[in-house]
Amino acid sequence: MNFIDILIIVLFISILNISVYIIFKKYIYGKPDAAMKFLTINMSKDIVWLIVSLIIIEKTKENFLFIVICFVVASLLIYIPIIKLINKS
């Protein structure tokens, strides 16, 4: 996998995570079933990201491992702040 592919995949997940966080904070936070609405939006985002990422990269074991690691890290980076916000309310 070349550097451009890695950069595109990481930037794409970062932009999507920031977008989902802003949408949650602005429109969903504090409303009934905020957590379930967040999960719906986040799962949709993850599916879109995965499809685009699989289109971009070559299908090898190393690239698949990279996708999995990116997914885990990105999930942790968005779930931790959202869970903290939900627990405050």
Side-chain angles (χ1 to χ4, degrees), residues 5-6 15 17 20 24 27-28 32 34 41 49 67 71 74 79-80 88:
D5 292 344
I6 293 171
I15 291 168
N17 271 351
V20 168
F24 175 79
Y27 300 109
I28 300 173
I41 292 171
W49 174 76
I67 294 284
F71 176 76
Y79 279 113
I80 290 171
K88 283 183 184 178

Side-chain angles (χ1 to χ4, degrees), residues 41-57:
I41 292 171
N42 196 49
M43 285 177 34
S44 302
K45 178 236 357 156
D46 288 337
I47 291 170
V48 168
W49 174 76
L50 181 63
I51 290 170
V52 171
S53 296
L54 289 174
I55 289 171
I56 291 173
I57 65 168

Side-chain angles (χ1 to χ4, degrees), residues 3 9 20 23 26-27 31 43 56 62 65 71 79-80 84 87:
F3 181 73
I9 290 169
V20 168
I23 290 170
K26 195 177 268 192
Y27 300 109
K31 296 189 177 170
M43 285 177 34
I56 291 173
E62 294 82 16
L65 181 62
F71 176 76
Y79 279 113
I80 290 171
K84 286 180 182 179
N87 284 338

Side-chain angles (χ1 to χ4, degrees), residues 54-66:
L54 289 174
I55 289 171
I56 291 173
I57 65 168
E58 299 173 18
K59 281 55 170 188
T60 64
K61 289 181 185 179
E62 294 82 16
N63 293 345
F64 181 73
L65 181 62
F66 173 74

Side-chain angles (χ1 to χ4, degrees), residues 8 56 76 83:
I8 290 170
I56 291 173
L76 286 174
I83 290 170

